[in-house]
Structures are given as structure tokens and as C-alpha cells.
Amino acid sequence: MSTAVNEHELIPHAADDQELLELERKYCSWGDTVHYLDPPKFFERAEGHYLYDRQGIPYLDLQMWYSSASFGYGNQRLNDALKNQIDRLPQLACQYLHAEKVELSAAIGRLNQSKFGLDGRVHFNVGGAQAIEDSLKIVRNSTGKNLVFAFMGGYHGRTLGASAITSSYRYRRRFGHFADRAHFVPFPYCFRCPYGKKREDCGLYCVDQFAKNFDTEYNSFWDAKASESEFAAFYVEAIQATGGYVIPPPEYFPALKRVLDERNILLVDDEIQMGFYRAGKFWAIENFNVEPDIIVFGKALTNGLNPLSGLWAREELISPEVFPPGSTHSTFSSNPLGTAVALEAVQMMEEENYEEITQRKGAYFLTQLQELQRRYPKVIGDTDGIGMALRIEICHEDGYEPDRGLTDRMFAEGMKGDLDARGRKTGLVLDIGGYYKNVFTLAPCFDMTEEEIDVAVELIEQLIRRCAPERT
Ligand SMILES: Cc1ncc(COP(=O)(O)O)c(C=O)c1O
């Protein structure tokens, strides 16, 4: 039964978390991810790599908004860029041009020209999944085909198109038939090799298996007479993000790309989470020496200050002749607040040596995690990292069987805000990923010092000792 509300009382002024939670339970959709934690958590302030709850308790953040705020919450330089733009050109319909949009596109175009020797253009949108949608349009438009490959364990967003190429059935189950569901291929997750092989002597068996699909038309992928595949593109994350920061062996992508080139299949590189130095290079794919046809990006482009996202595509795929005006559009796509912050962020990335910073700090962090694994082999089954994308796989006593229960308990314990950071009451913000939801995917702030990394590892150790004392 609905109760009439006086129009002067529309906005409630909740006294505390409890009252807010009651309102949330009644008025907010639960369809997002808030209720993964029970009760959900409120934060009131963010600064550097700390979030502060409504009681003022700091929480060291090791996920930085899923790698969107890599350059630190409240980064002064980027905040100032946003404030300046608010005072000068806060709004502008995307139908008209402004300098920052053009300069940002040119910067990304030139960067890719220097990295891959390829000409291309940039198209903006809002949110990662929407940029994925645009990339799907470009693939369909340039190839005339709509079937694509994607990886098991891959995540590309939750719009309908992005869900169709995201591996989890869980995200599609309630939403009817997905005619364009990708064909999902096993990812080289060597710690849990899908083929039961060992990396030392597998000879990239997984790539061979993929290549075999094209041996005969009766495998359903290839028409030898027309010399044509039914599949237009392969969507990849160079490092699987939601899949658990899974890092493939260095030879994997070059070998896969050879197969794709032979079959005239495009490589679409989703850099939404790993782009902008998370994996130690501007683009994560640079770690593997292959040239993508399309790159999709979002998140850290604006340090999380604006949902600007976008894609870069090779000239042949996106030139005005093939992708003419009006091919795609969204009201907020190249909004000037987003382009201004992004331009400043790219400028900052050019001035600072983030490749050196992220590789050095990431290597230090990984060494500390490996030491933690050595001390707690009955809790941690695997640690790995590239740049400042790090993983801790929580396992049962045998060091292999995924322990989702313990992972959840450790996550919730960090959220209580009563750990001891060298005498200071602190919480720890972690993110859980992985095929079995037993992986802490760490995306720490690039500004963290070695001493702060030590504190972070001490806090993780406290979680282990509190949540699995019998295994320490
Ligand atoms: C690799 C990757 N692709 C796409 C997306 C979807 O981006 P968004 O959540 O901004 O729609 C994400 C989000 O986590 C992601 O990590």
C-alpha cells in the first residue's frame, strides 16, 4: 500500500546510517551490485587512496573504483581541470565542437600512431559498456558480420550488446535470448589451465586448439571455398580484469594474433580496466607486442571524475567513408567536462613516467605478496602481478581448491573498519573477482609509497589471521 507524501517533505533528511539504509531498502533498486555486501556500506569522503566512512574512519582502498581513480581520489591537478572547465564551458551539445575533444582525439590518435604505426580515429561515449556497443557497431559495419569470439572469464559490461560478449550466463539469464552471444574461447589461465596442461611444456596448446577450429568447414567457423570466417572479431582483455587479473604468458597474444590474421578476424582490445598504465604500459596490450584493430577505453581516462569513455579504431574501419555522420550518437558522449579532465590526465601521463612508476611499485608490491603467500600457503594459492594490477588467489589448505567463503569473510572483515594500521584504526577496501570469486584483484593507487604498500600487506595479513586462524 502506498502512503501519500506531502510534496514539501519529498526530500528526507536522514539522521544516520540506519535511517538511510531503511530508505535505501525501500526506494533504491537492488539491481546494481550494492547488495553484494550486507549491510551495504556508506562512505562520505575520499582523498588520495583512502575512503572515509560517516564516522571519519579511513579505509585504505586497494581497488580504486575498479581502477578508475588510479591517480588518487581528489587529484588536485585533475580536479582543477574540471573546475576550470565548469567555469568556462560547462555544457555543450555534442553536435558542436570544442577544442578539448579534438585535442584529446589527436593525442590518443598520435599515441597509437607512435605505438603501433597505425592511423586511426577516436569516438567518444559515456561508460565502458556503451563504448563496447560502439565498437560492436564498427565491427558489424566494416565486416557485415555480427558473430564474434570472446574469452571465457571475460567481462565487457552489462548493456545487452556487452552482456552478449561477456562470459557469465548469470548476467544474461533473466533477459531473454541473446542471438549474438559470442563464441567463448578458453583464456590462458595457467594456474588453472582449462586443458589441464602445465605452462612449462604446454607449447601453447590452447592456441593450437583455437586454430584447429578453422581446419575444416565442418568445425562450423570457416568456409574454405570463400576463404572466409563467419566470425568478424575477437574481443579480448589483455589481462582479464573481472576474471581475476589473470595474466597470460608473453607468447600467447602474438600466437593468437597470427591465427586471427590468417583468418581475417579483427582484434578488439578492451582496455577499459587495464588501460592508462594499470598493467605497467599505457595500454595493457603493449605488454604483448601485437597491434589491435580497435581499442576500447574508459574508467581511468578521467580518473573517475566523469564517465567519458571511447574507442580508437584503425582508419579503414572508422573513416568517414565507411562510418559516416550519425552512425552512432549519445547526448553526453563527448561532454566538455569529460574531455577537459581527460586531456589533462593524458597530459599528466605524458609528463610523468608512469611506466617506470607502475612497474617499479608493482614489482615491489608483488614481492611482498609472494612473501605473504610463502608464510600462509594454506590460505594463498597464487599471487601474480603486472604493473600495478595484482592478484591474490584465496584457496583451501591444499593451496589450489578455491575458497570463496574465506574470500568473502576477509572482504567483509576489511569493511568493518577496525584493523590496526600501525596504531591507526583503519578499514581495507578490496575487490573480489575471479572465475570462482576467490581472487582479490588489487588495483592500488599509483601514488602509494613502498611504506604504504607495506602497511597494505600488513592489513591483508590481519584479515588472514582473523578469518582463518586455524590455517596460520
Ligand atoms: C574490461 C571491462 N570492460 C568493460 C567494462 C564495462 O564498463 P562500465 O562498467 O563502465 O560499463 C568493465 C567494467 O568493469 C571492464 O572491466
Side-chain angles (χ1 to χ4, degrees):
M1 197 185 74
S2 65
T3 6
V5 175
N6 179 327
E7 67 175 280
H8 300 297
E9 292 171 1
L10 285 185
I11 300 175
H13 296 286
D16 55 23
D17 281 10
Q18 216 37 53
E19 250 181 73
L20 277 171
L21 278 174
E22 277 163 30
L23 289 165
E24 195 272 345
R25 282 182 187 279
K26 181 165 167 53
Y27 289 109
C28 293
S29 153
W30 285 29
D32 53 22
T33 54
V34 165
H35 285 266
Y36 282 4
L37 182 70
D38 185 29
K41 183 88 192 161
F42 282 101
F43 286 106
E44 195 157 77
R45 198 162 70 78
E47 193 182 329
H49 44 272
Y50 282 94
L51 295 174
Y52 294 82
D53 69 12
R54 287 161 57 85
Q55 286 68 47
I57 296 174
Y59 290 67
L60 174 57
D61 192 340
L62 290 182
Q63 56 90 49
M64 296 308 288
W65 202 352
Y66 322 122
S67 191
S68 301
S70 301
F71 304 98
Y73 297 122
N75 181 300
Q76 200 56 55
R77 178 170 173 175
L78 301 178
N79 278 10
D80 287 345
L82 183 68
K83 288 178 192 164
N84 290 340
Q85 190 75 338
I86 285 185
D87 288 337
R88 198 173 55 77
L89 181 68
Q91 294 110 330
L92 180 70
C94 296
Q95 182 180 350
Y96 308 111
L97 279 175
H98 63 287
E100 291 82 351
K101 173 196 170 172
V102 178
E103 288 170 4
L104 180 61
S105 304
I108 294 170
R110 288 177 178 177
L111 182 114
N112 284 353
Q113 163 67 244
S114 77
K115 292 191 180 299
F116 307 116
L118 296 170
D119 285 337
R121 290 170 193 264
V122 171
H123 191 101
F124 293 109
N125 208 323
V126 188
Q130 290 86 332
I132 289 284
E133 298 284 333
D134 285 344
S135 74
L136 286 164
K137 279 189 169 178
I138 286 177
V139 166
R140 287 176 176 224
N141 179 58
S142 60
T143 63
K145 296 175 186 175
N146 56 340
L147 293 188
V148 301
F149 293 108
F151 279 120
M152 293 179 186
Y155 181 88
H156 301 287
R158 301 210 201 178
T159 55
L160 288 174
S163 298
I165 61 167
T166 289
S167 52
S168 291
Y169 170 49
R170 181 164 65 89
Y171 302 141
R172 290 187 297 275
R173 190 174 64 83
R174 299 167 182 281
F175 307 111
H177 180 61
F178 284 74
D180 300 321
R181 181 183 180 283
H183 179 83
F184 294 103
V185 174
F187 190 77
Y189 179 6
C190 301
F191 180 64
R192 299 184 188 280
C193 175
Y195 296 104
K197 303 279 180 193
K198 290 271 165 270
R199 177 65 202 106
E200 304 78 71
D201 57 4
C202 72
L204 290 180
Y205 181 83
C206 49
V207 179
D208 289 346
Q209 290 305 108
F210 178 67
K212 277 193 176 145
N213 288 323
F214 303 94
D215 278 355
T216 151
E217 70 182 75
Y218 297 102
N219 286 346
S220 87
F221 296 94
W222 181 247
D223 179 345
K225 279 195 181 158
S227 206
E228 195 178 303
S229 172
E230 197 176 5
F231 285 74
F234 199 140
Y235 273 74
V236 310
E237 294 165 85
I239 314 296
Q240 279 196 334
T242 306
Y245 283 20
V246 188
I247 305 163
E251 318 77 31
Y252 178 79
F253 277 110
L256 180 75
K257 182 74 164 76
R258 280 194 288 278
V259 180
L260 300 181
D261 286 346
E262 270 170 34
R263 308 298 168 178
N264 209 11
I265 295 168
L266 299 172
L267 179 69
V268 185
D269 172 29
D270 180 343
E271 295 275 352
I272 291 167
Q273 190 158 158
M274 289 293 150
F276 310 110
Y277 292 105
R278 175 52 58 196
K281 301 266 188 190
F282 193 97
W283 304 123
I285 197 80
E286 288 178 69
N287 288 294
F288 300 96
N289 245 332
V290 294
E291 292 157 10
D293 296 294
I294 298 175
I295 296 177
V296 192
F297 50 84
K299 291 197 200 283
L301 174 62
T302 64
N303 200 35
L305 285 179
N306 184 280
L308 188 75
S309 65
L311 63 80
W312 167 93
R314 269 184 22 219
E315 180 68 9
E316 308 87 280
L317 308 177
I318 199 175
S319 73
E321 292 74 43
V322 294
F323 204 64
S327 297
T328 189
H329 163 78
S330 175
T331 299
F332 295 113
S333 55
S334 51
N335 77 87
L337 297 181
T339 56
V341 186
L343 190 61
E344 192 65 29
V346 170
Q347 178 76 40
M348 192 175 81
M349 288 182 234
E350 201 180 322
E351 287 168 20
E352 299 278 329
N353 191 349
Y354 279 107
E355 189 164 316
E356 189 277 329
I357 293 170
T358 52
Q359 292 186 10
R360 174 171 45 81
K361 292 185 180 180
Y364 180 80
F365 208 142
L366 182 59
T367 309
Q368 309 312 309
L369 292 179
Q370 286 164 339
E371 172 58 20
L372 197 66
Q373 180 183 4
R374 202 187 52 72
R375 296 215 310 280
Y376 299 98
K378 295 179 180 174
V379 173
I380 300 178
D382 185 49
T383 49
D384 203 356
I386 183 166
M388 288 185 88
L390 300 131
R391 77 193 309 267
I392 308 172
E393 187 146 343
I394 303 298
C395 296
H396 282 280
E397 298 207 5
D398 65 355
Y400 189 72
E401 185 72 21
D403 194 342
R404 180 177 183 167
L406 176 56
T407 316
D408 284 341
R409 288 201 302 285
M410 287 172 65
F411 171 73
E413 193 66 30
M415 280 297 182
K416 287 184 183 163
D418 64 352
L419 298 170
D420 176 11
R422 300 186 178 177
R424 188 183 183 211
K425 198 174 159 199
T426 308
L428 186 64
V429 182
L430 295 167
D431 190 37
I432 298 175
Y435 294 34
Y436 304 96
K437 294 281 166 261
N438 71 317
V439 180
F440 290 122
T441 50
L442 308 187
C445 177
F446 295 166
D447 289 346
M448 279 181 89
T449 62
E450 289 191 0
E451 197 182 343
E452 287 165 337
I453 291 171
D454 290 343
V455 171
V457 176
E458 286 166 23
L459 296 179
I460 297 170
E461 178 168 11
Q462 286 174 36
L463 296 182
I464 295 174
R465 299 189 75 84
R466 280 191 191 185
C467 299
E470 70 292 354
R471 280 148 64 178
T472 61

